[in-house]
Amino acid sequence: MVKEYPLEKVRNIGIIAHIDAGKTTTSERILYYTGRTYKIGEVHEGAATMDYMVQEQERGITITAAATTCFWKDIQINLIDTPGHIDFTVEVQRSLRVLDGGVVVFDAVAGVEPQSETVWRQADKYGVPRICFVNKLDRMGATLTKTVEMIKERLAAKPLVMQLNVGLESGFAGMIDLLEMKYFNFEGEKGTEVHELPIPASHLAEAKAARELMIEVASEADDGLLEKYLAGETPSIPELKAAIRKGTINRLFFPVFCGSSLKNKGVQLILDAVIDYLPSPKDKPDTIAIDPETDEEVVRHNDPTEPFSALVFKVITDPMGMGKLAFFRVYSGRVNQGDTVLNASKGKQERMARLYQMHANKKEVITTVSAGNIGVAQGLKDAITGDTLCDIQHQTLLEAISFPEPVVKLAIEPKSSNDQDKMGKALRALTDEDPTLHVATDQETGQTTLAGMGELHLDVIVDRMKREYNVEVRVGRPSVAYRETITRPAKARGIFKRQSGGKGQYGDAAIEIEPNEKGKGYEFINDTVGGTVPKEFVGPIDKGIREALEGGIIAGYAMVDVKVRLVDGSFHEVDSSEMAFKIAGSMAIKEAAQKAAPVVLEPIMKVEVVVPEDYTGTVVGNLNSRRGMIESLEQRGNAQAVNVKVPLSEMFGYATDLRGMTQGRGNFVMEFAYYQELPRNLADELMGKDKK
């Protein structure tokens, strides 16, 4: 029987960072020091507990968010280790949606890197309080001060420095705790012996000045403490802790700690900080949901006695036939093994056949999951990421999770007829797991395309199809997932009329279209009056328009950011049907879009290239030849960081080219930035026309 902890003794936290900052290494130490594992699994040895997928062990990166539960000083910590690579940002986003706090890990050499900025923005979006851990202070070129400055500048955040390092690089020995004014070092096998020592005399003056600054910043969170500070009184440690906790939870500032996870220095103090400063479920505001029957807001409290409500934030499928495992966060009430609940997003009842607590890929059977906790259910047939589960008698819809659109696609086909059915099954399972993976079939050619967040993302998916589902496929070269849009308003009328002896077909829809705000997608408004189009035919018109836009107007790419108004129409008492109006809607939008100066859009990527200084000129020249727009050059130790915006179409094969230009010493990261109009000559080329 798993002990149920009171809410104030629960922490739901995620470890988030840029790739290679040391997230999983930090997670492995947390598991070891909390007694969850008996040995430390090292990432570089392919033995990390939380990186359990074969692809993760082979590539040395985290691909999927892994959950576990551990305990520290009688506090239950539900921990999620998330990927750092931008191609798997879906795992970070859906984890942050359900977490109460985060530990953001920074590389003390590189500081705030591109994906650091991305995960920080994602955490801001979901209002997640964070503490910062500046890791790798043992590495050459490491600096705490520079990383803190980068947190201020790049993240527009207020850091609250809680520790100072003693020594750097190979001389890194430990850290000074500014709250208690003690020097901590770590000895014994795996750093298990934590020693509290007096602050070295050489660091005392610096520590006193840093503590004064810490108190000044912390005072902003508490009026009583601020009065004390302004009066020249020294606040007590409990008073400071309370103020820091309050300020952290309200995101007024972000406590900064330091250490080296690989060298087993500082992780125990991070665990203490998680308990001291990050919120419990009780500290989080009430959850606002929607009653799907009335569309009115309802409030759900973090209370096990309230009606059950939960959000599914992750789904994995067992290829061996055990069905889905659905990860969910309970926001109110509780659910027991065997309970039947309502999937409010689908309008279907589902049975929680088995309940588990996860430790990476290992399941521990539990009988109940209550408010404020994270659980895993087996038996949910229809649930996907973002679905709401609730009490059948108290229907509730929680805010779903939005995900970015894929930007890279490739064609796939089964190697043999035996693989045809297996491929379909594998793709259905994988798209259920991953909302950023899109599968489409070309209606003309019958070709299946797979779209994802990047080349690595798609490479991993194809590899999983082979290993987990025993499907052999042929893949085409990766290509860009272009989009289309319109640049001016237009009008059109679609009339579908068929008469062939018996009952005819009649549908008539008049529409006006205009460009929508960037990123808003498709919007449909019914502006008809007087019943010119009966209510039952408005939905089919909308559907016909939507399907036509998804197929593209000028080049076969999905059209985005279009606002459509249905302004007029007519119907026939006998011959009108839903199908006729769907076709009429499709005819109208195709004509209107052609009049609205349609253009092709291409994805622009935000790229950071880090190279030794000697190669900067060559790399910059190459990026310019790829239509890159250089934004800045930054000194990064003995290297230069080149920040540039480049069309995705120009970046295929760049990893190989960069290795050649820098003798293997350069590296880069990139993420989607925005869509912009493709130059006309390239658009014409794309559509098979002669260059003008």
Side-chain angles (χ1 to χ4, degrees), residues 279-556:
S280 74
K282 253 192 163 176
D283 297 311
K284 299 294 286 184
D286 295 329
T287 300
I288 307 298
I290 299 292
D291 184 326
E293 293 185 334
T294 64
D295 281 337
E296 293 179 356
E297 285 189 353
V298 291
V299 179
R300 288 289 180 259
H301 304 96
N302 278 309
D303 185 340
T305 64
E306 285 215 353
F308 170 68
S309 67
L311 184 76
V312 176
F313 67 93
K314 179 180 170 77
V315 171
I316 59 175
T317 305
D318 185 348
M320 303 308 292
M322 296 295 289
K324 290 181 183 176
L325 292 176
F327 292 66
F328 61 95
R329 162 73 188 262
V330 182
Y331 287 94
S332 63
R334 68 170 62 247
V335 68
N336 300 309
Q337 183 174 297
D339 283 356
T340 298
V341 301
L342 178 70
N343 182 334
S345 306
K346 300 286 194 299
K348 296 181 178 181
Q349 293 187 16
E350 304 232 46
R351 185 169 177 269
M352 314 286 269
R354 295 279 189 276
L355 294 176
Y356 304 105
Q357 194 176 81
M358 297 300 289
H359 175 52
N361 62 335
K362 295 180 175 62
K363 302 189 290 284
E364 297 173 359
V365 177
I366 54 177
T367 57
T368 186
V369 186
S370 60
N373 279 286
I374 291 170
V376 177
Q378 187 176 329
L380 305 182
K381 294 179 181 177
D382 297 302
I384 60 171
T385 298
D387 282 359
T388 298
L389 307 175
C390 63
D391 184 280
I392 296 171
Q393 303 303 319
H394 301 84
Q395 294 192 27
T396 301
L397 265 178
L398 299 167
E399 182 187 351
I401 312 173
S402 58
F403 298 106
E405 289 290 308
V407 293
V408 177
K409 64 179 183 178
L410 49 77
I412 61 168
E413 62 180 32
K415 280 191 176 179
S416 69
S417 56
N418 292 332
D419 290 307
Q420 184 72 54
D421 290 342
K422 289 193 294 184
M423 187 179 86
K425 180 185 175 183
L427 289 175
R428 283 191 295 275
L430 291 166
T431 50
D432 276 354
E433 286 188 17
D434 187 346
T436 61
L437 185 66
H438 291 195
V439 178
T441 303
D442 189 299
Q443 298 301 319
E444 293 183 6
T445 65
Q447 188 181 57
T448 300
T449 59
L450 197 60
M453 301 307 296
E455 291 180 84
L456 178 60
H457 182 204
L458 294 178
D459 186 43
V460 167
I461 292 295
V462 170
D463 190 46
R464 287 187 64 192
M465 289 173 67
K466 182 178 179 179
R467 294 188 196 232
E468 297 175 23
Y469 296 90
N470 197 28
V471 181
E472 296 283 351
V473 295
R474 296 187 186 90
V475 299
R477 292 181 64 184
S479 60
V480 177
Y482 293 97
R483 296 287 186 271
E484 300 175 17
T485 195
I486 57 173
T487 57
R488 65 186 184 214
K491 304 176 181 179
R493 193 172 200 120
I495 301 175
F496 180 69
K497 192 174 181 180
R498 285 278 166 84
Q499 194 69 48
S500 56
K503 184 176 181 299
Q505 293 282 353
Y506 183 85
D508 173 19
I511 63 170
E512 295 177 356
I513 66 171
E514 61 183 280
N516 209 351
E517 290 179 43
K518 255 186 189 180
K520 269 221 164 178
Y522 168 70
E523 190 176 349
F524 178 83
I525 301 164
N526 180 15
D527 272 349
T528 58
V529 293
T532 54
V533 178
K535 190 176 178 181
E536 64 266 29
F537 297 138
V538 172
I541 292 172
D542 178 19
K543 189 176 180 182
I545 293 171
R546 194 185 295 269
E547 288 182 3
L549 291 177
E550 285 173 359
I553 302 298
I554 53 173

Side-chain angles (χ1 to χ4, degrees), residues 632-654:
S632 67
L633 294 173
E634 294 178 18
Q635 194 72 31
R636 200 73 61 79
N638 294 322
Q640 284 276 357
V642 184
N643 294 292
V644 58
K645 298 280 178 50
V646 192
L648 175 60
S649 60
E650 305 287 350
M651 291 300 290
F652 292 115
Y654 184 67

